[in-house]
Amino acid sequence: MNRHRANHTQGCVPQPQAHGSPGQMGLGPQLLHHATETADIWRTAAVYKGCPSRLFPPLCREDGTQADTPETKAQVFQAKFFPNAPRAVPTHHPSDPPPQEPRTWTPITSVEVTATLHTAAHTVPGPSGVGYKTLKWAHEARPDYLPHLLNLCLNLGYHPWKTTTVVMINKPQKLDYTVPKAYRPIALLECTGKLLKKIVAKRINADIEQYNLLPMTQFRSRPKHNAINAVASLVHKIQGTIATGHAGALLLFNISGFFNNVNPSRATAILWNKGFPPSICAWTLSFLTGRKAAIHMGNYVSEPFPILNGTPQGSPLSPILSALYTSSLLDIAKTWRHADLSLYVDNSAIYTISATLKAATESARSKYETVLTWLHDNGLQTDTTKTKLMTFTPKRANPKFVGPPIQYMAHDTPSLPATPTMSRLSSPFDTSASTSTTASTGPTTSPSWQTMHAPPSAGSPS
């Protein structure tokens, strides 16, 4: 009885607002006031740190009302991550490169299946309960069965494993867990289907490296393009700007709900243009369409519902499909002068350089408008709450070069002043002091970066 009451009470704990730090908002006193057991404090602390939890507080709908039952919470998550009416996207876009000649792939071999199963972790299986351990036993007993099954799927252009369970995982260190975007939907896919996707993803990556199908400014999803490489490349540009006496502007933004908004037909057309075998393109379209999912929260599982858009988070194929999806945007950025765009999945950075700060910020604004237009045409959009601007000038920069806050398009944030600090891929950037970088994959070997100075933002004393 006490355990049930503790769980219910914790679900009603007031959530801190989106401004200020937890210490400033008195999060500790709130928890102490509402807790009924000692375990409640430790459980809530674990949730704040990002540990998976079976407890979900009431969720806020867009109209301001609360969803406080498992059924209504599942409806809120479904509306947020799996909309019933996704925006229509044209199959082809003017930025698409000329189609390449289709390539051919050799059939999947028993050796290939063995190697893939050897590296597969013992993850939670999909709805059928068939895990990698079962597949390893079956493959050892009859090494020809799984390759034959997987080759049939690719040759027929059909993906039969279309039902999944979506587990809602709380993101770490979010200030408000009553909003759906504080959670991440992770798909528990059938391991047989994941085995096939792992093999296909590995072959796609091999083609990308051999035929240079992705721009160098696309990080992750390819060798030697991890988070540390992305941060080091950006810091190198900033240091070069300051060393040459120029001004620079860095604009960071995130693509909102990237995986969940990848259009299946558009993604398939991109694979076709890149020269992948027609059967692989047909299989990819089958994999992305006709899917059904059930939302799993704690002990509650919703009724299955159709998924009309996107690629599942948790699929081995999703990162590489998303990278290919935005490849033509990076091709557009190749034509920019004194500016570039880099992507790390949904984490994006525009960096511009000019003789004056005003020109650099204006260039960043112009390039951002180009990106917004491309994203809109392809069914994507940015998360305006995560868009930040930072400027860089030499130590002895002339104050008259300081420009006004950057102005955005009408459908986006109307203005954005420069900020003295920001973070990309868990790496801090500071315009007024030495900036050491520690990417999410580990610390860099350099103890600190060159001191970078920015002019005072609008409204601050000079």
Side-chain angles (χ1 to χ4, degrees):
M1 182 67 178
N2 290 339
R3 176 64 62 186
H4 173 75
R5 186 161 62 92
N7 290 354
H8 177 75
T9 305
Q10 184 178 353
C12 299
V13 173
Q15 298 293 313
Q17 299 301 311
H19 57 276
S21 65
Q24 294 171 336
M25 293 178 288
L27 179 59
Q30 290 186 37
L31 298 178
L32 290 173
H33 178 73
H34 291 275
T36 59
E37 294 185 2
T38 304
D40 295 339
I41 301 298
W42 299 108
R43 187 179 299 111
T44 306
V47 171
Y48 182 74
K49 291 180 180 179
C51 299
S53 172
R54 290 180 175 270
L55 303 178
F56 292 82
L59 298 176
C60 294
R61 300 186 180 94
E62 292 186 357
D63 59 4
T65 60
Q66 281 194 337
D68 52 7
T69 65
E71 293 80 5
T72 55
K73 291 177 185 177
Q75 292 172 2
V76 172
F77 281 130
Q78 180 181 344
K80 171 64 178 178
F81 299 110
F82 310 103
N84 292 326
R87 178 150 41 93
V89 174
T91 303
H92 301 281
H93 190 267
S95 64
D96 290 343
Q100 300 183 18
E101 287 293 327
R103 296 179 294 275
T104 58
W105 283 5
T106 59
I108 297 174
T109 64
S110 177
V111 174
E112 199 170 2
V113 173
T114 301
T116 306
L117 285 174
H118 180 72
T119 59
H122 293 293
T123 56
V124 180
S128 70
V130 177
Y132 282 125
K133 183 177 291 187
T134 304
L135 293 179
K136 290 178 181 179
W137 289 343
H139 186 57
E140 289 177 1
R142 295 301 301 266
D144 55 329
Y145 273 30
L146 276 177
H148 178 67
L149 172 63
L150 302 183
N151 281 317
L152 278 178
C153 293
L154 296 184
N155 293 336
L156 296 175
Y158 180 70
H159 185 79
W161 301 280
K162 294 179 175 290
T163 303
T164 182
T165 301
V166 177
V167 179
M168 307 309 300
I169 302 296
N170 49 288
K171 297 179 181 179
Q173 299 182 357
K174 293 297 179 180
L175 299 180
D176 188 357
Y177 284 100
T178 65
V179 294
K181 70 177 183 179
Y183 300 84
R184 179 178 291 109
I186 301 298
L188 302 182
L189 305 170
E190 294 291 355
C191 288
T192 311
K194 287 179 68 175
L195 173 64
L196 177 56
K197 293 167 200 165
K198 283 177 177 287
I199 295 174
V200 172
K202 185 175 181 179
R203 292 193 173 199
I204 289 178
N205 273 315
D207 277 13
I208 287 175
E209 292 302 310
Q210 183 176 354
Y211 300 102
N212 194 26
L213 301 180
L214 278 181
M216 295 296 292
T217 49
Q218 173 66 62
F219 293 90
R220 201 187 172 187
S221 306
R222 58 190 308 183
K224 300 180 181 179
H225 281 68
N226 57 24
I228 294 179
N229 299 134
V231 173
S233 174
L234 181 57
V235 172
H236 176 73
K237 297 170 188 174
I238 297 171
Q239 291 177 335
T241 300
I242 297 173
T244 56
H246 290 84
L250 171 62
L251 184 64
L252 300 183
F253 61 95
N254 274 27
I255 301 175
S256 179
F258 191 6
F259 284 5
N260 297 324
N261 289 285
V262 170
N263 182 271
S265 298
R266 174 80 179 121
T268 305
I270 292 173
L271 288 179
W272 180 275
N273 287 338
K274 296 290 185 181
F276 289 98
S279 61
I280 301 301
C281 297
W283 173 84
T284 303
L285 183 61
S286 175
F287 154 59
L288 295 176
T289 55
R291 296 185 292 134
K292 288 187 176 182
I295 292 179
H296 187 185
M297 299 181 302
N299 296 321
Y300 172 78
V301 180
S302 71
E303 291 294 324
F305 57 88
I307 299 179
L308 305 178
N309 213 29
T311 179
Q313 295 198 39
S315 168
L317 203 55
S318 295
I320 192 61
L321 284 181
S322 63
L324 290 168
Y325 197 83
T326 52
S327 59
S328 63
L329 174 59
L330 293 174
D331 288 335
I332 293 176
K334 286 181 180 180
T335 64
W336 295 350
R337 294 192 61 190
H338 309 300
D340 65 57
L341 169 68
S342 62
L343 298 179
Y344 186 92
V345 193
D346 60 345
N347 190 292
S348 313
I350 294 175
Y351 188 74
T352 60
I353 181 174
S354 185
T356 66
L357 181 62
K358 182 176 181 180
T361 54
E362 173 60 25
S363 176
R365 181 199 65 81
S366 174
K367 302 303 184 290
Y368 187 49
E369 289 183 359
T370 300
V371 171
L372 289 177
T373 301
W374 189 96
L375 293 176
H376 181 270
D377 292 344
N378 288 270
L380 303 173
Q381 61 183 2
T382 60
D383 184 347
T384 56
T385 63
K386 297 182 179 180
T387 304
K388 293 184 178 181
L389 169 70
M390 179 177 284
T391 55
F392 304 91
T393 58
K395 287 184 178 180
R396 299 179 180 179
N398 193 326
K400 71 179 181 180
F401 289 159
V402 178
I406 188 172
Q407 300 296 318
Y408 287 152
M409 298 177 67
H411 67 271
D412 208 285
T413 307
S415 63
L416 183 67
T419 178
T421 61
M422 64 168 59
S423 175
R424 188 189 188 201
L425 302 175
S426 302
S427 301
F429 288 82
D430 189 335
T431 61
S432 60
S434 295
T435 304
S436 61
T437 59
T438 303
S440 57
T441 53
T444 62
T445 55
S446 300
S448 63
W449 300 104
Q450 179 177 335
T451 301
M452 296 173 288
H453 294 277
S457 58
S460 63
S462 57

